[in-house]
Amino acid sequence: MSWQTYKDDNLLCDIEGNRLTIATIIGHDNIVWAQSETFPYLVTCARLLYVRRMSTRWIRNMHKIVVQNSFTSLIGLDQFKLRFRSFSIDSTYKEMPRKLKKSERKPWVTSVNELKRKARLQRQAKQEASEITLRPPENGLLVKALVPFACEVYAARAKLLTCASMVLKNAIVYSCRLCGEVHVGNPPHKIRTCNVRGSPATKEHVWEIGGMEHVLPVVESFHLYDRIGRAVSHDERLEVDRIPAIVELCIQAGLDIPEYPTRRRTFPVYNVAGRMIDFEKRIPKHDSPGEDINAHGFWEKRNQSSEIKSMHLLGDDVQGFATRGMEAWEKMLLGSSKIMQKYGVQTCGYCSEVQVGPKGHRVRNCQAFKHQMRDGQHAWQEATMDDLIPPVHVWHVRDMQDGGLLVNGLKSYYGKLPAVVELFAQAGSKVGENYASMMREDVAVPGPDEEKLVV
């Protein structure tokens, strides 16, 4: 007797007036032995558990539907059947940005054709002796609607640094001494991705204890007293303060910090035939550059700087600091993105140098690919949020209670998160839905002895 005959005679038979409508028989080897023609398509249980990019929640729901439908069909209560919903085994995993080669340039935010078109229009405007209308902040005035965002971003950054420092007291961060890879949690992962000059042949990382600079790296920029004035020259590179780029962005957007004075115009500048004309005095009476501006502040350490002062936070639990830190991180990113829509930020296409302002500086300190041909000058282009706040992506550890050890053979099942988000997540904070595609928690990770069964 075949299995198809067994299904028809024993499973689909009448039992006191009730009968199953459809049935299937599946072996332990994941092969369908017998199945009704109208039976819905299902992935077998053994394959369903380990199939990549499959939601574990969907597995539980589908199992519940199959069991309930079989039971209701058996007792004749068809009106209580649950419907099978369409599904896809494809995951919404977000691929990490590809690491650029030394000879590659960063992707352009604005296309090259669009930049050429704007340059062509500017050349035509210079030939005509007419005034070009400028709007804030291009005319030197502030965008009043963005001043509150600048204050919020600055406050969120201070709160983020405080919360991260408190969480780091109860967490461990590792950094590779050779390639700079970062891992949050103990023990460090065993994924062999160290592929730089001087790394071992096995591509294993050489771990050492890291700190705040590995979780939240600081990108610096020259502080401009006049954002639409002349650029910082090469000879002035040691005389102009370098501060965090996000702080400089807040200052140019309207935040006032006594330690970093800046020029606030009351009258706009004009653009006539391509030349900027400023009718205000070069040095207003209420400004005293000799007293307020420290030209050699680059060499001094301000121990009581307002940007690094620890603020008072209610509660001393680690999870509370992690939750408030996650909120500050999201607020800082959201506010910075809104400010960057109006205030320009420039970055070098080959290195990580950033200059906040409508144009880049003229300091010749680029040491990237073929910098000798450019005499060390930077290849300036429009910056993105990742240039201002570089995301340090680390491997996401799902369950620290199970040891949290990530092995090289299962790296295709692991997700990633920004280092600061992973730090707060391990401390008990809830991760936002915008990171769900990066965490890959919908992927069931098989055991070391079960990975070979994955189809």
Side-chain angles (χ1 to χ4, degrees):
M1 180 178 62
S2 63
W3 287 109
Q4 191 72 22
T5 305
Y6 177 83
K7 173 185 68 67
D8 297 335
D9 296 344
N10 296 276
L11 298 181
L12 302 181
C13 61
D14 292 333
I15 301 178
E16 298 180 357
N18 300 318
R19 61 178 299 173
L20 293 175
T21 57
I22 55 176
T24 184
I25 301 176
I26 303 175
H28 292 286
D29 53 356
N30 303 329
I31 297 178
V32 178
W33 294 355
Q35 181 175 302
S36 302
E37 295 182 356
T38 58
F39 196 88
Y41 172 74
L42 289 177
V43 183
T44 56
C45 296
R47 295 175 58 190
L48 191 62
L49 182 59
Y50 304 121
V51 67
R52 290 186 55 187
R53 299 176 180 176
M54 176 66 69
S55 173
T56 55
R57 182 180 300 178
W58 183 89
I59 297 174
R60 293 192 296 267
N61 294 340
M62 185 60 66
H63 182 267
K64 179 180 179 181
I65 292 175
V66 172
V67 173
Q68 183 165 342
N69 286 357
S70 301
F71 179 74
T72 53
S73 298
L74 182 63
I75 63 178
L77 299 177
D78 295 341
Q79 64 271 21
F80 294 101
K81 282 188 176 182
L82 299 178
R83 295 182 179 180
F84 289 92
R85 286 183 279 181
S86 60
F87 68 95
S88 173
I89 62 176
D90 293 332
S91 174
T92 58
Y93 174 61
K94 179 182 177 181
E95 296 290 343
M96 294 294 102
R98 181 178 61 88
K99 186 176 181 180
L100 299 177
K101 299 180 181 178
K102 292 183 178 180
S103 59
E104 288 184 297
R105 182 165 182 162
K106 297 177 183 177
W108 295 88
V109 179
T110 306
S111 63
V112 178
N113 294 333
E114 181 67 17
L115 293 176
K116 291 180 178 179
R117 187 187 68 84
K118 292 182 179 180
R120 185 166 54 252
L121 294 178
Q122 291 178 0
R123 288 194 300 267
Q124 295 176 0
K126 290 181 179 180
Q127 297 176 359
E128 302 176 1
S130 59
E131 179 184 349
I132 301 177
T133 304
L134 299 178
R135 297 182 178 180
E138 297 177 355
N139 58 3
L141 301 181
L142 295 175
V143 182
K144 296 182 179 180
L146 294 179
V147 176
F149 287 98
C151 300
E152 291 180 1
V153 170
Y154 184 77
R157 178 181 179 272
K159 185 176 181 181
L160 174 64
L161 293 176
T162 302
C163 293
S165 62
M166 297 300 296
V167 175
L168 277 175
K169 295 180 180 180
N170 299 273
I172 300 179
V173 176
Y174 291 94
S175 174
C176 180
R177 190 177 60 202
L178 301 177
C179 67
E181 175 95 4
V182 178
H183 180 79
V184 179
N186 190 31
H189 67 74
K190 299 296 183 180
I191 302 176
R192 297 190 292 267
T193 55
C194 187
N195 190 17
V196 296
R197 180 178 298 179
S199 60
T202 58
K203 298 184 180 180
E204 295 182 355
H205 295 280
V206 181
W207 297 110
E208 60 183 7
I209 301 298
M212 178 72 73
E213 65 276 7
H214 299 98
V215 177
L216 288 172
V218 178
V219 177
E220 292 186 340
S221 170
F222 285 106
H223 171 57
L224 303 179
Y225 174 71
D226 189 359
R227 66 178 305 272
I228 62 174
R230 64 180 182 86
V232 179
S233 64
H234 183 73
D235 297 334
E236 297 173 338
R237 64 186 184 280
L238 300 180
E239 299 179 359
V240 182
D241 289 343
R242 285 183 66 86
I243 63 177
I246 190 171
V247 176
E248 175 65 15
L249 180 65
C250 295
I251 293 175
Q252 294 188 11
L255 177 67
D256 292 326
I257 300 179
E259 299 176 2
Y260 306 111
T262 185
R263 185 177 181 181
R264 303 297 186 193
R265 282 182 168 82
T266 56
F267 297 95
V269 299
Y270 300 90
N271 189 335
V272 179
R275 297 185 60 182
M276 304 295 291
I277 300 178
D278 188 3
F279 291 99
E280 280 189 352
K281 294 181 179 180
R282 290 291 180 179
I283 303 179
K285 293 182 180 180
H286 56 81
D287 285 350
S288 54
E291 299 179 2
D292 295 340
I293 300 178
N294 186 0
H296 302 277
F298 176 75
W299 299 102
E300 296 181 2
K301 293 184 179 179
R302 300 177 175 86
N303 295 327
Q304 309 219 335
S305 176
S306 58
E307 66 178 276
I308 60 175
K309 283 184 179 179
S310 299
M311 57 182 171
H312 178 67
L313 296 175
L314 297 177
D316 55 354
D317 58 320
V318 178
Q319 185 176 0
F321 281 112
T323 303
R324 287 186 286 268
M326 187 74 74
E327 296 174 356
W329 168 258
E330 297 292 343
K331 184 179 295 184
M332 184 181 68
L333 292 182
L334 180 61
S336 300
S337 61
K338 291 184 178 180
I339 296 176
M340 290 181 65
Q341 294 178 0
K342 290 292 185 179
Y343 291 86
V345 180
Q346 311 300 319
T347 183
C348 180
Y350 295 99
C351 69
S352 59
E353 184 71 12
V354 170
Q355 178 59 50
V356 181
K359 54 187 175 182
H361 58 72
R362 297 198 300 269
V363 179
R364 301 188 298 271
N365 59 354
C366 183
Q367 299 180 0
F369 177 74
K370 290 186 178 180
H371 62 89
Q372 299 89 346
M373 301 178 60
R374 305 189 305 271
D375 194 20
Q377 296 181 1
H378 296 280
W380 295 111
Q381 65 183 49
E382 185 179 355
T384 61
M385 181 61 66
D386 292 344
D387 299 316
L388 185 69
I389 307 174
V392 182
H393 292 107
V394 299
W395 293 101
H396 172 53
V397 181
R398 300 187 183 183
D399 192 359
M400 294 296 297
Q401 297 180 356
D402 294 341
L405 181 61
L406 307 182
V407 296
N408 184 70
L410 302 177
K411 63 181 179 181
S412 58
Y413 299 91
Y414 303 140
K416 286 190 174 183
L417 279 178
V420 63
V421 178
E422 177 67 16
L423 177 66
F424 292 148
Q426 293 187 13
S429 176
K430 183 179 179 181
V431 182
E433 296 181 357
N434 52 329
Y435 295 107
S437 59
M438 302 172 58
M439 298 171 61
R440 303 192 67 185
E441 289 199 341
D442 59 339
V443 179
V445 180
D449 55 339
E450 300 170 336
E451 197 270 338
K452 61 183 179 180
L453 302 176
V454 177
V455 180

